[in-house]
Amino acid sequence: MTLNSIRVLLQIIYASSFASVYSAVTAPLGQPAPLAPATTSYVFNITVAQRAPDCFAKGVLVVNGEMNPPVEVVQGNTLEVVVYNNIPEDWPLMSEGITIHWHGFDMKGVQWYDGVGYLTQCPIPSGANFTYRFQVMEEPGTYFWHGHAGMEKVDSLFGPLIVLPPPGAPAIAQYDDERTLLLTDNYHGEATLLAAALNRPFDPDKITNTSGSFNWVGVPQSILLNGHGFYGDCALLDGGNFLVDPKCNVTRQWVPPGRSSVLPYNAPSNPGCSRYNMTVEAGKTYRIRMINAGSLVFYTVCFAGHNVTIVAADSFPVTPLSVSCVDINLGQRYDVLLEANQPAGNYWINVLATNTTRMGAPGGYGVLRYAGANETLPADPIMQPDSVPMWGLETFEAITLPEAFLNASTIPQGTVLPVNETTLVPPNRTHILHVTFSTVLLPSGQIRWAMNNVATYGTPSCTPTLAQLQADPGFLAREALQSKQGNSTNVDMVQSGDAERVTMYLDDGSPTPSYPVAGQEYMQLKLGDVVEVVLQNNAAWLNEDADYSDGGLGCNRTLREEHPFHMHGHHFWVLGHGIGVYNETANRTSLNVVNPPYRDSFTIFKNGWSVIRFKADNPGVWMMHCHVDWHMFMGQKMYFSVEPETAPQPPSDLPQCPSDCLYNFGPFTPDYVEDKWGDSGYAA
Ligand SMILES: *[C@@H]1O[C@H](CO)[C@@H](O)[C@H](O)[C@H]1NC(C)=O
Ligand SMILES: *[C@@H]1O[C@H](CO)[C@@H](O)[C@H](O)[C@H]1NC(C)=O
Ligand SMILES: *[C@@H]1O[C@H](CO)[C@@H](O)[C@H](O)[C@H]1NC(C)=O
Ligand SMILES: *[C@@H]1O[C@H](CO)[C@@H](O)[C@H](O)[C@H]1NC(C)=O
Ligand SMILES: *[C@@H]1O[C@H](CO)[C@@H](O)[C@H](O)[C@H]1NC(C)=O
Ligand SMILES: *[C@@H]1O[C@H](CO)[C@@H](O)[C@H](O)[C@H]1NC(C)=O
Ligand SMILES: *[C@@H]1O[C@H](CO)[C@@H](O)[C@H](O)[C@H]1NC(C)=O
Ligand SMILES: *[C@@H]1O[C@H](CO)[C@@H](O)[C@H](O)[C@H]1NC(C)=O
Ligand SMILES: *[C@@H]1O[C@H](CO)[C@@H](O)[C@H](O)[C@H]1NC(C)=O
Ligand SMILES: *[C@@H]1O[C@H](CO)[C@@H](O)[C@H](O)[C@H]1NC(C)=O
Ligand SMILES: *[C@@H]1O[C@H](CO)[C@@H](O)[C@H](O)[C@H]1NC(C)=O
Ligand SMILES: *[C@@H]1O[C@H](CO)[C@@H](O)[C@H](O)[C@H]1NC(C)=O
Ligand SMILES: [Cu+2]
């Protein structure tokens, strides 16, 4: 069953008289759209179930018994999602509850429903319910919903989120039908237990998974296409060594009946896994809504024998761009057109990690099947992970806004513009913020990802930050350490927490920052400010006074990682990317300030920089963070505080906060984890 066909079955629609709206999604072009309903309602009964999406059984979070159900809503309608947390209390959730975030939604005027644990609400605890109810005033397009309190997204709490154009609105492109391609990283261990090991003191002498020290989660065990994957698809892969990864040890997992507990899972004698089949009819054009909902891997997606044309990046249209493969990072979406114009047959859908991103991650494979073709696997070989070059910078630069969005007289009706703007031409900046990434070792011995030397932990207090700052607008100015004022920047960066030794350096060419700290990192903004953010990705080294010259993860570490960044509450213009150290004088002229893409998720390349610009037009407190869930957990996040006192008052039914509020500075020692969740967290 395809995701498209299950979509209708999964919805529990209170407003049943409006149920016909869902047929609009797949209705052929040119047919009259049904009347828009006022409210689109869903019930999310979230429980734990045993599933084996890649033939390897594990506990996952399901919604009404299904993994990753889609949500669809017409622009202008009210979306109501009643969320019941029926996850048993002893299931490992370090956030003590769950939230649902609407990834890519700006949430203007409905800030309290952004679904960020401890920021806009406390998590919904086990046994409780909470209703997200807000009018959807977002650009029609492709989004996804996901858990955003602890690590529950990685335990499968996510699904597609589609905003349909209102009746009569022009289509983004001509196409006959559409498909959703939801891509995910599948880890065999429970995410909280994997993450707990990231919280332990780093000790290069004890870098084993039973020593009680930091342990990196590694690459996922499989890649899922619409919930289907194939653990140990090694007959197809040459030389993949992930099967010997101790994390793949099958003995502690339940093995589905009829399957062997020894590898490989894909042996002919060991059937059970099924690949996702995307069925198409020859001669038709399909809009494929690609979503990277994974937690680690930057995918390159190639449809064998077919080029595709990108028509939207995240949710906004782009100038059509034909490509042979699509590089889609975590949190990103691309809407592409695929013409079924090849001889009827079967073609691989290859989902790969490339050399420059995550070497060693398995590939994920599906089948593009023409109606009438034999139901066999494609005869051609699959593409191997690491075999495809990534897009060069010129391809990223070729992703631009269509001309029509640059002129007030041609801008398509219904385009969601920043407040007080009449086009999507980026307004001139009023502020610059420089953010430098590094891997740091805190005085506690914990290894963290820091931004400007601050590793932001998850829970400032047991009150949602938005409530705290709204009730006490002077809080940041009073409590937080003011950063150094960058001379060309006019920014005001503040932090609170363990701040004695914090110094912020926001201008170019600043000296190496002082000792890193765990704290909260904020930038305070006024409504209407236009902020250019320069994100500088250094080598992933530890602060230099940590001497691990024995070759461990010490100060000589030269590993460089790309980071997929996402921002809440705003779309932004991606003005440019580059390699090396950003130089305002030299690099500024290369920025695209004419027709840059308007997105909500972007990449900062290894040892490179990216420059984005956004207009602070949305009162609230908004997170900007790495969408590698593990990096976010390790501190790679910061907040923009935009006049929160002018945001609406909180709904009266926000969930109660848990009593301990440990989240990611909890004492996740082996004993603690064993005691709390009955699992040491090591064997996963
Ligand atoms: C949620 O699902 C569980 C398990 O199927 C069921 O026992 C429970 O009654 C459901 N709760 C709601 C509110 O639908
Ligand atoms: C949902 O939560 C409210 C309290 O917020 C409670 O009164 C109600 O009984 C709950 N509903 C169910 C079905 O558990
Ligand atoms: C799997 O783990 C068990 C227990 O931890 C161990 O005894 C066994 O040798 C491991 N098997 C493999 C193939 O690593
Ligand atoms: C894809 O097609 C093959 C061949 O018909 C079938 O065995 C497999 O179950 C299909 N996959 C899914 C997810 O239905
Ligand atoms: C895909 O695009 C490339 C470059 O434009 C072209 O050489 C190739 O023939 C195209 N392939 C198909 C199947 O259209
Ligand atoms: C399907 O398979 C049958 C039997 O192998 C073969 O005769 C036929 O030509 C195949 N059809 C297509 C369209 O490949
Ligand atoms: C990827 O790396 C492998 C091993 O280093 C190398 O053989 C291959 O040529 C590389 N591929 C590309 C596309 O750079
Ligand atoms: C933006 O800056 C440019 C160059 O400094 C200037 O020409 C232009 O008028 C400015 N635009 C606005 C809207 O202020
Ligand atoms: C900013 O500070 C640097 C170093 O102190 C100095 O060289 C530079 O001229 C200053 N720039 C401006 C615009 O004041
Ligand atoms: C929009 O314009 C109004 C009127 O000038 C102003 O009061 C408001 O602050 C502006 N809002 C933003 C976000 O620019
Ligand atoms: C690490 O760097 C230190 C200082 O630069 C140097 O003395 C040491 O030999 C290096 N260790 C390795 C393993 O490269
Ligand atoms: C920045 O670029 C300018 C112009 O190319 C150059 O003169 C300057 O030396 C560069 N600055 C640094 C720190 O590399
Ligand atoms: Cu990251």
Side-chain angles (χ1 to χ4, degrees):
M1 199 184 263
T2 66
L3 203 64
N4 286 324
S5 57
I6 58 175
R7 151 190 300 170
V8 175
L9 302 179
L10 295 175
Q11 286 148 4
I12 298 176
I13 300 159
Y14 286 151
S16 57
S17 57
F18 300 126
S20 64
V21 70
Y22 295 104
S23 64
V25 188
T26 47
L29 276 179
Q31 304 236 328
L35 284 179
T39 299
T40 306
S41 297
Y42 291 81
V43 173
F44 273 21
N45 182 359
I46 300 174
T47 57
V48 175
Q50 286 282 308
R51 292 285 184 273
D54 66 347
C55 276
F56 195 103
K58 61 169 193 168
V60 296
L61 301 180
V62 293
V63 177
N64 310 326
E66 298 293 332
M67 280 175 74
N68 319 130
V71 166
E72 291 174 5
V73 60
V74 174
Q75 185 198 45
N77 286 2
T78 294
L79 177 64
E80 179 186 81
V81 183
V82 186
V83 178
Y84 293 91
N85 179 354
N86 282 316
I87 303 167
E89 213 159 349
D90 60 358
W91 167 261
L93 276 184
M94 63 175 55
S95 54
E96 314 278 346
I98 55 172
T99 58
I100 304 291
H101 168 61
W102 319 96
H103 181 105
F105 278 20
D106 289 344
M107 307 300 287
K108 282 202 182 89
V110 293
Q111 297 81 339
W112 294 99
Y113 298 103
D114 195 37
V116 182
Y118 306 104
L119 190 68
T120 57
Q121 67 171 101
C122 278
I124 308 162
S126 176
N129 68 78
F130 177 65
T131 300
Y132 293 87
R133 190 186 294 108
F134 54 90
Q135 195 184 12
V136 175
M137 301 303 289
E138 311 291 341
E139 184 75 7
T142 305
Y143 302 81
F144 67 118
W145 61 266
H146 67 77
H148 208 319
M151 306 309 291
E152 74 272 28
K153 165 172 160 282
V154 187
D155 289 319
S156 280
L157 192 59
F158 57 84
L161 172 61
I162 312 280
V163 177
L164 302 169
I172 188 172
Q174 291 295 309
Y175 55 91
D176 300 299
D177 205 347
E178 63 172 58
R179 301 285 183 261
T180 298
L181 184 58
L182 183 68
L183 305 172
T184 59
D185 298 326
N186 186 45
Y187 283 88
H188 288 169
E190 293 87 353
T192 284
L193 301 180
L194 293 170
L198 300 173
N199 212 45
R200 297 181 189 129
F202 176 72
D203 179 347
D205 296 329
K206 297 187 202 158
I207 186 84
T208 73
N209 64 354
T210 53
S211 64
S213 77
F214 172 88
N215 192 40
W216 173 240
V217 299
V219 296
Q221 278 70 58
S222 59
I223 307 298
L224 306 183
L225 284 72
N226 286 0
H228 294 275
F230 233 99
Y231 173 51
D233 213 350
C234 54
L236 295 175
L237 302 172
D238 46 53
N241 70 350
F242 56 93
L243 292 179
V244 298
D245 184 333
K247 292 187 185 64
C248 297
N249 187 334
V250 294
T251 56
R252 66 186 292 274
Q253 307 280 345
W254 175 78
V255 177
R259 280 166 223 151
S260 161
S261 64
V262 294
L263 305 173
Y265 274 72
N266 66 327
S269 58
N270 194 18
C273 294
S274 55
R275 289 186 184 77
Y276 167 62
N277 305 307
M278 181 181 286
T279 52
V280 295
E281 284 177 43
K284 288 193 171 171
T285 298
Y286 293 83
R287 174 188 190 167
I288 300 173
R289 299 177 183 268
M290 289 178 32
I291 303 166
N292 186 342
S295 49
L296 184 75
V297 180
F298 187 168
Y299 305 123
T300 293
V301 183
C302 313
F303 295 85
H306 297 73
N307 291 336
V308 294
T309 302
I310 298 174
V311 294
D314 299 344
S315 38
F316 279 80
V318 296
T319 310
L321 179 67
S322 174
V323 290
S324 55
C325 298
V326 179
D327 284 2
I328 183 168
N329 211 341
L330 303 165
Q332 293 187 316
R333 291 88 61 209
Y334 283 110
D335 288 48
V336 304
L337 299 182
L338 180 141
E339 285 181 58
N341 59 5
Q342 295 301 303
N346 292 293
Y347 299 85
W348 286 116
I349 306 170
N350 302 281
V351 182
L352 311 168
T354 65
N355 273 18
T356 39
T357 55
R358 286 285 165 187
M359 283 279 265
Y365 301 95
V367 175
L368 177 70
R369 172 167 301 149
Y370 281 64
N374 280 342
E375 295 195 355
T376 56
L377 293 181
D380 293 336
I382 55 158
M383 293 168 74
Q384 301 294 327
D386 306 331
S387 68
V388 196
M390 273 194 67
W391 284 350
L393 288 178
E394 70 285 355
T395 305
F396 289 96
E397 282 160 16
I399 299 174
T400 57
L401 274 175
E403 194 68 28
F405 291 81
L406 307 177
N407 190 309
S409 64
T410 56
I411 195 149
Q413 231 184 345
T415 305
V416 178
L417 296 166
V419 173
N420 294 348
E421 300 295 330
T422 56
T423 71
L424 280 180
V425 174
N428 286 346
R429 71 184 187 199
T430 60
H431 295 65
I432 305 181
L433 170 67
H434 289 264
V435 176
T436 300
F437 299 162
S438 55
T439 322
V440 300
L441 202 61
L442 297 178
S444 62
Q446 291 165 306
I447 187 170
R448 287 289 192 241
W449 280 100
M451 296 166 66
N452 290 338
N453 243 349
V454 180
T456 293
Y457 49 66
T459 53
S461 66
C462 287
T463 307
T465 307
L466 176 54
Q468 197 182 350
L469 298 187
Q470 183 177 61
D472 182 5
F475 179 84
L476 288 177
R478 194 179 66 245
E479 301 292 335
L481 184 83
Q482 300 296 320
S483 68
K484 179 181 174 209
Q485 192 91 7
N487 60 358
S488 63
T489 61
N490 188 30
V491 297
D492 192 21
M493 167 77 81
V494 292
Q495 316 137 52
S496 66
D498 174 14
E500 287 120 58
R501 288 192 283 175
V502 178
T503 313
M504 299 303 298
Y505 290 86
L506 302 170
D507 49 353
D508 279 324
S510 60
T512 306
S514 63
Y515 210 92
V517 295
Q520 296 287 312
E521 188 163 323
Y522 293 91
M523 183 179 190
Q524 267 189 308
L525 294 171
K526 292 264 176 258
L527 282 169
D529 285 350
V530 178
V531 186
E532 194 165 295
V533 189
V534 178
L535 299 107
Q536 180 67 53
N537 189 1
N538 287 341
W541 53 14
L542 293 171
N543 35 309
E544 289 177 46
D545 54 354
D547 182 20
Y548 294 112
S549 52
D550 62 356
L553 288 165
C555 61
N556 303 67
R557 191 181 179 205
T558 54
L559 176 69
R560 290 171 165 85
E561 294 188 26
E562 51 84 22
H563 300 278
F565 257 65
H566 172 62
M567 187 174 174
H568 291 235
H570 303 83
H571 278 68
F572 45 75
W573 294 271
V574 183
L575 303 184
H577 307 282
I579 303 300
V581 176
Y582 182 74
N583 174 333
E584 169 84 5
T585 316
N587 297 125
R588 190 168 167 65
T589 50
S590 73
L591 301 183
N592 178 0
V593 292
V594 176
N595 60 353
Y598 190 56
R599 317 190 56 154
D600 55 62
S601 304
F602 67 111
T603 301
I604 301 126
F605 294 98
K606 290 180 189 186
N607 195 29
W609 51 264
S610 294
V611 180
I612 64 166
R613 193 183 286 177
F614 70 96
K615 180 165 187 178
D617 64 350
N618 194 3
V621 184
W622 307 106
M623 198 194 276
M624 181 174 77
H625 64 91
C626 183
H627 227 266
V628 173
D629 295 71
W630 318 108
H631 288 183
M632 178 171 66
F633 175 76
M634 291 169 72
Q636 208 172 23
K637 51 186 175 277
M638 63 167 287
Y639 306 106
F640 293 98
S641 172
V642 186
E643 300 189 30
E645 62 279 11
T646 67
Q649 289 298 302
S652 58
D653 61 346
L654 284 179
Q656 290 295 304
C657 294
S659 54
D660 57 6
C661 287
L662 291 174
Y663 187 39
N664 71 0
F665 57 109
F668 297 127
T669 60
D671 285 349
Y672 178 90
V673 171
E674 181 97 54
D675 193 46
K676 194 166 172 62
W677 294 304
D679 193 316
S680 71
Y682 284 126

